[in-house]
Amino acid sequence: MSDFIADIAVNIPLKQLFSYRIPESLVSSTDVGMRVKIPFGRRLTVGFILSIRNGDAAGLKDLQGLFEDEPILSSELIKLLRWAADYYCHPIGQVVRTALPAALGNEKTTVKIRTEAIYQPLDPEIKLRGKTQQELLTFIIQEKSVGLTRIREQFSAPHAALKRLVEVGALQCDERELCRDPFRLDKLPVDQCITLNSAQSEAVDRITSAIDDNCFSGFLLHGVTGSGKTEVYLHSVDQCLAAGRQALVLVPEISLTPQLVSRFRARFELKGIRIAVLHSGLSSGERYDAWREIMRNQIQIVIGARSAVFAPLQNLGLIVVDEEHESSYKQAEGFRYNARDLALVRGQQQHCPVLLGSATPSFASYYRSEQGALTRLTLDKRVHAGDLPKVEIIDLKEQVCDGELSNVLIEAIQQALEQQEQVLLLLNRRGFAPFLLCADCGETFCCPNCEITLTYHQQKRELRCHYCDYVDVVPESCHKCQGLNIEPQGAGTEKLEEELEKLFPSARIKRMDRDTTSRKGAHQNIMTEMMARKIDILVGTQMIAKGHDFPGVSLVGVLAADSTLNIPDFRSGERSFSLFTQVAGRAGRASGGGKVYIQSYNPEHYALTCAAEQDYHQFYLQELPFRQELGYPPCGHLVNLVFSGNNNHQVQAAAKQFSSFLFRVAGSVEILGPSPCPLARLRGKSRYQILLKAAARPDLRRLLNRLDEQIAQLPRQVTLHIDVDPIDML
DNA sequence: AGCACGCCGACT
DNA sequence: GTCGGCGTGCTC
């Protein structure tokens, strides 16, 4: 006897699917991709049908019901999710849940679909007595079909009149599904369609022909800051829509890129093209609405951060990944996928081009473009006449400093202020001082959970851990020797702000870091003030290097470049180069001749000299041998196994046992560790890691496939996180 | 992850 | 004598 069997993903930390019989009564209405109710163990839960097959259902439980009458996941999306679960060694159920709006992964909650009453004229000739009724009817006849919300905007209390009109047969009333539109109230920005320069139009041509070919191809758009990458995106997306297909645009963080979103809206919304913007501020209901609309092909363009790579567009023609070097494309917890890499996979699966764009491409993408796996398109001229700024590296070994600022930089700031120009200062460390030190006995004050020093925040008068947010009071005396000489060491943005206030008492100084932008809209406020030139000096962490251009800035200073350079990670050079180049690019966009100073004790470092020259290729050539010799990505491949648990000994023992198994089956894969993680304790848990390194992916893959047997042997108190292609190993 | 079962200590 | 601690096993 042959039954219909559904293979279902359930949100538990297991890799396998669970099979259920589809009862006769549901056979006709059940489909792949649907969200279903299933009995699981002794409870009821939610699952997603990933495939349906024929077979013997003996011993299987029955599917209990459907949540919706249409699928939530398309077959293309299922293919991508299964690929990702396999590649990232992560349980499929959790992969599905990460991809979906939270409201859909939740048990019990059937998401409320908001509806509104919609009115249409039935009999316009009908005789009416009331003036309001007559006006209402005229309005509705004019509009043909109107929702209640729209009526409310025009009439103050329409209820009674509407009710009457329906009763007498003048109007027909229906329920319509309402999709919450967060931009409903924003006014549409003005589009300034710019004619493309030759480099831009060549790039667009290449992308357009790839769209028309209907097959995958990967592009790296390398355009210096201010070279007009966004305009290339806009034209390419336009071509994609003209070909009758949809576009997906990924950005690192929507809140930091409001101008990209508004340029898309300005360009396309007047033409009646619908854009869905998926950002972190959406309520779960709004997110769900957007998902449904995309799924139903009512949306042509999706703009969103990392998780938007899973947006259920059915007819993709182009995927754009803006600022592709940004590490925020990698999810750091749970299902540790990289949206930039998945975008390329999705492009391959759905036969559409993928466009990665950046002023400072990731080393990996540039490498792939050198190898020919990505087609490189270069924009090397700024569109707004402004020249690239002059960059000077200040050798701190030979400079007199007042606090954090060298005399050269102080003078430059003075000059800029006199000329009514704005100054941008980057110090990649928030708080007042990175740690407190007892001058009598040398004691430092550490986080009890994380084994790193607590950062001193002067304004809030507290010590705070930047990893777990542990807070302590500022000590009056040393807890070890009772000494009273406790001194802040090093400097953060808070201290720099204080120094600047003393040096330039009449300047308007603002600080922008995680502490001053935690309130909603605070980030945007600072940006707006900066644009309106209500700020003379803006101090901040790497946050100031992202997003907005500031036309009024003529001077940029990078302080303590070494703190970024010396992070013990093989990518610190890449990150520093990228950060310094990006922040330097903020200077003098409009008016020519911006000036940039980088202060460092290590002025010969190629990440600095290349950033000073704004020479990406030179940086690449310097970095390449280092990666090749050590077999680091992209010249080799990494997987990090992170073991964590409350009991340090237990975690260490488990990691050791695991590594002895790995050594036995390693083959050509290098096994490094186990060693305590760079942050050996984090949020109260002990952590050990084993790094797997291989020259070829298939070797690594083979090893990963053998891991399951060993994972089953782990004691329950120790958990293992597998991080495929880790981007930071902290 | 949930949820049950089961085996030990400290309480009415 | 029970209430409840958390180790262990299982989920189509």
Side-chain angles (χ1 to χ4, degrees), chain A residues 40 58 91 217 403 446 454 481 485 505 518 522 544 573 593 604 633 679 713:
Chain A
F40 191 74
S217 72
C446 289
L454 293 164
C481 74
N485 300 312
S518 54
I544 60 169
E604 316 296 331
L679 278 161
Q713 308 285 306

Side-chain angles (χ1 to χ4, degrees), chain A residues 332-333 336 449-451 467 640-649 651-652 655 674-690 718-719 721 723 728-730:
Chain A
E333 304 188 306
R336 304 179 181 212
N449 306 322
C450 300
E451 233 176 45
Y467 287 92
N640 198 19
L641 306 178
V642 182
F643 300 81
S644 65
N646 293 321
N647 182 319
N648 182 51
H649 288 294
V651 178
Q652 188 181 27
S675 52
C677 292
L679 278 161
R681 280 179 74 73
L682 187 66
R683 293 176 245 272
K685 299 227 187 271
S686 286
R687 302 154 81 242
Y688 283 81
Q689 67 184 17
I690 301 174
V718 177
T719 49
H721 294 285
D723 194 349
D728 65 63
M729 261 105 57
L730 289 182

Side-chain angles (χ1 to χ4, degrees), chain A residues 18 33 110 189 228 394 426 430 475 480 482 553 572 583 594 618 717:
Chain A
F18 292 82
T110 10
I394 299 173
L426 171 77
R430 67 196 172 93
K480 206 165 179 188
Q482 274 72 50
V553 170
S572 65
V583 77
Q618 188 54 37
Q717 298 87 336

Side-chain angles (χ1 to χ4, degrees), chain A residues 314-349:
Chain A
Q314 311 263 10
N315 188 18
L316 260 181
L318 175 68
I319 305 177
V320 174
V321 184
D322 186 29
E323 307 292 349
E324 65 89 24
H325 64 280
E326 281 283 324
S327 56
S328 63
Y329 282 120
K330 177 88 199 256
Q331 176 132 58
E333 304 188 306
F335 168 36
R336 304 179 181 212
Y337 66 100
N338 187 320
R340 183 241 290 150
D341 298 343
L342 281 185
L344 289 163
V345 173
R346 194 169 178 187
Q348 275 164 24
Q349 291 186 349

Side-chain angles (χ1 to χ4, degrees), chain A residues 79 97 141 169 188 193 388-389 447 518 543 547 588 603 716:
Chain A
K79 195 171 158 199
R97 193 212 254 267
I141 289 168
L188 205 62
C193 193
L388 285 172
C447 173
S518 54
M543 198 177 275
R716 248 185 145 161

Side-chain angles (χ1 to χ4, degrees), chain A residues 288-415:
Chain A
Y288 174 56
D289 288 348
W291 184 275
R292 267 185 310 139
E293 284 195 289
I294 298 166
M295 189 76 193
R296 291 176 186 168
N297 283 321
Q298 290 164 346
I299 299 287
Q300 284 83 42
I301 302 171
V302 172
I303 306 175
R306 189 170 59 219
S307 65
V309 75
F310 301 113
L313 294 159
Q314 311 263 10
N315 188 18
L316 260 181
L318 175 68
I319 305 177
V320 174
V321 184
D322 186 29
E323 307 292 349
E324 65 89 24
H325 64 280
E326 281 283 324
S327 56
S328 63
Y329 282 120
K330 177 88 199 256
Q331 176 132 58
E333 304 188 306
F335 168 36
R336 304 179 181 212
Y337 66 100
N338 187 320
R340 183 241 290 150
D341 298 343
L342 281 185
L344 289 163
V345 173
R346 194 169 178 187
Q348 275 164 24
Q349 291 186 349
Q350 300 194 15
H351 313 293
C352 74
V354 178
L355 174 59
L356 310 180
S358 177
T360 54
S362 62
F363 188 81
S365 294
Y366 198 86
Y367 177 82
R368 300 193 64 209
S369 74
E370 286 285 293
Q371 305 284 303
L374 297 173
T375 305
R376 189 159 74 232
L377 308 167
T378 308
L379 310 177
D380 47 16
K381 289 196 183 63
R382 286 184 150 192
V383 278
H384 307 296
D387 291 326
L388 285 172
K390 292 197 172 40
V391 183
E392 198 172 305
I393 302 172
I394 299 173
D395 186 351
L396 288 176
K397 297 194 294 285
E398 294 174 356
Q399 270 294 322
V400 187
C401 282
D402 184 345
E404 289 306 300
L405 298 158
S406 65
N407 284 344
V408 177
L409 189 50
I410 292 173
E411 221 165 275
I413 295 172
Q414 187 68 57
Q415 243 178 54

Side-chain angles (χ1 to χ4, degrees), chain A residues 420-422 508 523-538 548-553:
Chain A
Q420 318 274 313
E421 288 166 341
Q422 289 173 299
R508 295 162 300 178
H523 184 267
Q524 192 52 48
N525 286 346
I526 297 177
M527 288 292 190
T528 312
E529 279 185 76
M530 193 68 187
M531 295 305 279
R533 299 214 180 203
K534 286 178 181 159
I535 298 171
D536 297 314
I537 306 176
L538 182 65
H548 256 286
D549 311 341
F550 303 120
V553 170

